Amino acid sequence: MTIDTLLTPAELPALARRDLSGTACVVFDILRATSTFVTALHHGADAILPVCEIAEAVALRRRWPEVLLAGERDGVKIRAAQSGGVDFDFGNSPREFTPERVRGQTIVSTTTNGTRALRACAGAKTVLAASFLNLAATAEFLHNEKEIILVCAGTGENAAKEDFLAAGALVELLVPRLDARPVLWRAADAARQTFAHFKTDLASAIGSSENGQRLLALPELRDDVAFCAQRDLFNLVARLDADGKLRRI
Ligand code: MLT
């Protein structure tokens, strides 16, 4: 097994050009896209369709009026003024995606980093959306893979501490399960060591990140930080299917 790690959005265009036909890509956007998608799927959403642009989401709603729209820019729910007058049903807070609101629904989502990272992996053999909320189930699913790339979605153009910590936590879970010692490429090993350092107070470590600080400063979103720091609340794997939709497996 090889485990590689991408730290910033600047690495995504090169990823899209790589032959990923034998690779499992695991995307982390802990604050908050992948945490939110995992929560929505756990609460019964049928599928999440991640798209890069607000205009794409709006066009899909015109084509399929039954889909729900979700997404954020600068952390807050997309406003009608940003979407040509179309009201989005959700922002990107996992706590909005309750069973009552999502059961049986297909949700089109556009976020600043997370949905872009997922789309950049589209050519891979397997693409998973992972979070602390479903980390053990994700590790279990991956343990027979030969080649894994951990894709940290980042914050804006920067690396995100919380994504790096989650990547390290996944490496920590994968290593003892393997028959042969994995090749830990440098960044994956650094992520594992960083997670080992911070794991006793994960919520504080995540809260001290760039996006953690932004969310903590917004009274209606501050509780998202502690929510997304929870380990293994959900026993599910979220996989991107060939039709571009994330579903629970
Ligand atoms: C993103 O995709 O950049 C995020 O998930 C941002 C956020 O929701 O705070």
Side-chain angles (χ1 to χ4, degrees), residues 10 17 49 53 66 89 109 136 144 169 172 181 196 230-231 238 246-247:
R17 290 193 296 272
L49 178 53
E53 305 298 339
E66 68 281 9
D89 302 284
S109 173
N144 283 328
E172 185 182 89
R181 193 167 164 68
Q230 297 175 98
R231 285 289 293 262
L246 270 175
R247 292 188 179 84

Side-chain angles (χ1 to χ4, degrees), residues 29 31-34 72 74-75 92 111-115 153-156 211 214-215:
D29 188 346
L31 295 177
R32 300 158 289 169
T34 56
E72 59 66 44
D74 296 323
N92 194 32
T111 70
T112 312
N113 286 56
T115 58
T155 298
N211 203 13
R214 175 172 68 178
L215 293 167

Side-chain angles (χ1 to χ4, degrees), residues 1 7 23 26 30 32 35 37 43 52-53 59 75-76 100 102 121 133 135 137 167 169 180 187:
M1 176 188 273
L7 299 178
T23 303
V26 185
I30 299 303
R32 300 158 289 169
S35 302
F37 300 158
H43 286 156
C52 297
E53 305 298 339
V76 298
E100 299 70 31
V102 306
C121 299
L133 302 169
L135 204 67

Side-chain angles (χ1 to χ4, degrees), residues 41 53 64 130 204 237:
L41 292 172
E53 305 298 339
W64 294 302
S204 302
V237 175

Side-chain angles (χ1 to χ4, degrees), residues 7-154:
L7 299 178
T8 68
E11 297 170 79
L12 294 179
L15 179 68
R17 290 193 296 272
R18 267 166 83 165
D19 174 8
L20 300 173
S21 55
T23 303
C25 287
V26 185
V27 177
F28 293 101
D29 188 346
I30 299 303
L31 295 177
R32 300 158 289 169
T34 56
S35 302
T36 295
F37 300 158
V38 164
T39 302
L41 292 172
H42 173 79
H43 286 156
D46 192 41
I48 313 287
L49 178 53
V51 298
C52 297
E53 305 298 339
I54 296 173
E56 275 179 272
V58 169
L60 288 167
R61 159 67 77 71
R62 293 218 170 90
R63 193 156 155 206
W64 294 302
E66 68 281 9
V67 300
L68 299 178
L69 296 185
E72 59 66 44
R73 289 297 181 268
D74 296 323
V76 298
K77 182 173 167 177
I78 292 165
R79 294 183 307 276
Q82 296 168 288
S83 61
V86 176
D87 281 325
F88 273 54
D89 302 284
F90 303 92
N92 194 32
S93 167
R95 294 173 300 117
E96 292 176 82
F97 292 72
T98 58
E100 299 70 31
R101 295 189 68 194
V102 306
R103 195 173 294 118
Q105 305 287 350
T106 294
I107 300 165
V108 175
S109 173
T110 174
T111 70
T112 312
N113 286 56
T115 58
R116 283 172 196 280
L118 282 161
R119 302 297 323 165
C121 299
K125 179 175 75 106
T126 305
V127 183
L128 304 181
S131 66
F132 282 111
L133 302 169
N134 70 332
L135 204 67
T138 301
E140 176 71 30
F141 182 85
L142 288 168
H143 76 274
N144 283 328
E145 292 292 339
K146 299 252 175 307
E147 194 175 309
I148 297 174
I149 301 180
L150 307 179
V151 180
C152 297

